Amino acid sequence: MSDLPVIRLRPKSKPQAIRHGFPWVYADEAVLDRRTRGVAPGALAVLEDAERRPLGLVTVNPNSKIVARVMDADPEARIDAAWLEARLARALALRERLHDAPFYRLVHAEADGLPGLVIDRFGDHAVIQPNAAWADGMAGAIADALVNVTGVTGVILNGQGRARGLEGLGERMEVLRGTAPERPVPVTMNGAVYMADLMGGQKTGLFYDQRPNHAFAQRLAGGGAVLDVFSHVGGFGLAMLAGGASSALCVDGSAPALELAQQGAQAMGAGDRLEVMRADAFYALEALAAEGRRFEVVICDPPAFAPSKPALEAGLRAYERVAKLAAPLVAPGGYLGLCSCSHAADLTAFRNVSARGIGRGGRRGVLIHTGQAGPDHPTLPQLAETGYLKALFFRLD
């Protein structure tokens, strides 16, 4: 492996972080001379500290703020089919321990030792999101390894999203192996049925990360009416219908997502208890308040309002506004669930603005539960970004 290029840390950088498991090297931490900048995005290199001691094998992208991602602590490792299959087999072993059916996040990027790569499994199909240059370049090899390790017959590449743009990667959507399903795939979670559109839906087609928070919300629904805002394909709304809610109103700006929510409700025999509203979420919250509507449980699960540190302040204001508008819609003694998938907004900041928003909405309450992503979305302790999801549940007076 001595023919690989070398990328070296600057003298003031801290190699201890890499040795202790931090998986990234930022551009301002590395010596970026003409030779390093000439390395092709996604190529492999040996990472060294300032004293030329090897730290591991990395993949390099001179076009990204994350100039190197650690692939293996062994600088002599070979990133080939056997290496990919070993990483996938390790990830699969965890998911098979957690879940009885093959519907889960199979690979959660850095936390599963496959930096920048996300893979969700839907039975006989898998959807991969290669959000790093190396994974995009090796997509075919990853698909082959997936087939060999898991036995899936179809592999779809969904190359869309903000993360790819940060890597200098263009958008692409293609079937890598087998064929795409002709219709949405039904996925059962917590007794609810969700319809996942693997070719036309958001991200990979379904969000598995909220599974444990759906289960908690079910326990609050009782026989009451519930409201699910930013519902996508009916995440919390369908879960609470499965848990015994008398009715659910799902609000989202996407007509196709709401159609999938209705299909899911029909599949689980709850079509007559689901109402949908296509509207801007903030407008819908204000309109429902003006109508005097009240719900036993209100859940707001918006997209990332603070996807990066520069967007943090504006994002926190948006989360506070959601809490302010949602709180008045909760019946006395009812429950409000507020979620954030913004890694830039940590739990403390999100909890503070949520509580302030509830107060500004004229309500008082206590925090009864704090949730996070399910265990098929493991968190790398050294990398806060892998622990992005926060779910707060309040009981309001």
Side-chain angles (χ1 to χ4, degrees):
M1 300 292 285
S2 58
D3 58 336
L4 288 178
V6 171
I7 182 169
R8 189 167 296 116
L9 295 181
R10 293 176 180 271
K12 292 186 178 180
S13 297
K14 296 181 179 179
Q16 297 92 333
I18 300 294
R19 292 191 177 99
H20 295 163
F22 190 76
W24 294 348
V25 177
Y26 294 103
D28 61 359
E29 297 177 313
V31 177
L32 296 182
D33 53 22
R34 185 173 61 181
R35 183 177 59 178
T36 304
R37 292 187 183 278
V39 175
L44 296 171
V46 174
L47 178 66
E48 295 181 347
D49 63 17
E51 282 72 43
R52 299 179 181 269
R53 293 173 295 196
L55 295 170
L57 187 67
V58 297
T59 177
V60 179
N61 187 347
N63 302 327
S64 173
K65 289 184 178 179
I66 304 172
V67 74
R69 298 171 187 260
V70 177
M71 297 289 282
D72 201 298
D74 179 6
E76 299 294 328
R78 293 181 59 86
I79 309 303
D80 54 14
W83 187 93
L84 288 171
E85 291 185 12
R87 293 286 165 111
L88 290 173
R90 183 175 182 272
L92 179 63
L94 170 63
R95 277 65 180 189
E96 289 184 334
R97 181 70 64 92
L98 296 171
H99 300 291
D100 296 330
F103 296 89
Y104 40 67
R105 171 147 294 181
L106 174 61
V107 169
H108 194 49
E110 277 77 0
D112 281 301
L114 290 159
L117 177 64
V118 167
I119 304 177
D120 283 347
R121 185 174 183 182
F122 299 89
D124 291 333
H125 286 84
V127 180
I128 73 172
Q129 286 187 297
N131 295 326
W134 79 269
D136 197 62
M138 294 187 67
I142 292 168
D144 288 337
L146 262 176
V147 171
N148 291 339
V149 171
T150 68
V152 297
T153 57
V155 180
I156 297 165
L157 187 151
N158 185 329
Q160 304 177 73
R162 175 178 177 272
R164 286 179 61 85
L166 296 176
E167 281 280 293
L169 301 172
E171 293 194 353
R172 55 191 290 220
M173 185 86 181
E174 59 187 280
V175 179
L176 297 177
R177 299 292 182 270
T179 59
E182 296 180 356
R183 57 186 61 87
V185 177
V187 178
T188 300
M189 293 190 291
N190 300 309
V193 178
Y194 300 94
M195 307 305 291
D197 183 353
L198 305 191
M199 294 297 291
Q202 294 183 38
K203 297 294 180 74
T204 62
L206 192 66
F207 297 104
Y208 284 126
D209 53 1
Q210 289 281 20
R211 187 179 340 220
N213 300 316
H214 290 166
F216 183 80
Q218 281 184 320
R219 298 161 61 185
L220 306 177
V226 302
L227 172 64
D228 180 5
V229 186
F230 306 97
S231 67
H232 190 226
V233 298
F236 280 95
L238 296 185
M240 289 187 284
L241 286 177
S246 60
S247 65
L249 171 57
C250 286
V251 177
D252 201 89
S254 168
L258 292 174
E259 171 62 26
L260 291 171
Q262 290 175 309
Q263 291 179 23
Q266 291 288 346
M268 56 189 276
D272 59 338
R273 292 187 284 143
L274 177 69
E275 177 186 357
V276 299
M277 177 190 297
R278 183 189 179 192
D280 170 80
F282 293 101
Y283 167 81
L285 290 168
E286 293 173 339
L288 291 169
E291 294 172 10
R293 298 281 296 271
R294 295 293 182 271
F295 302 87
E296 186 68 20
V297 184
V298 176
I299 306 288
C300 297
D301 182 18
F305 287 148
S308 61
K309 288 184 179 179
L312 178 59
E313 291 305 316
L316 291 175
R317 289 193 296 270
Y319 287 123
E320 182 175 335
R321 185 183 176 204
V322 168
K324 175 187 174 183
L325 295 176
L329 297 173
V330 179
Y335 303 90
L336 174 61
L338 301 170
C339 306
S340 166
C341 58
S342 298
H343 68 79
D346 65 22
L347 176 60
T348 299
F350 178 58
R351 186 173 57 226
N352 289 345
V353 296
S354 296
R356 187 160 62 239
I358 291 170
R360 291 184 62 202
R363 303 296 294 274
R364 294 291 182 272
V366 292
L367 179 64
I368 62 169
H369 180 70
T370 300
Q372 59 185 17
D376 56 348
H377 292 63
T379 298
L380 186 66
Q382 299 88 347
L383 190 63
E385 285 83 349
T386 57
Y388 62 97
L389 184 64
K390 300 156 283 284
L392 307 176
F393 292 87
F394 298 86
R395 187 173 193 269
L396 304 189
D397 294 338

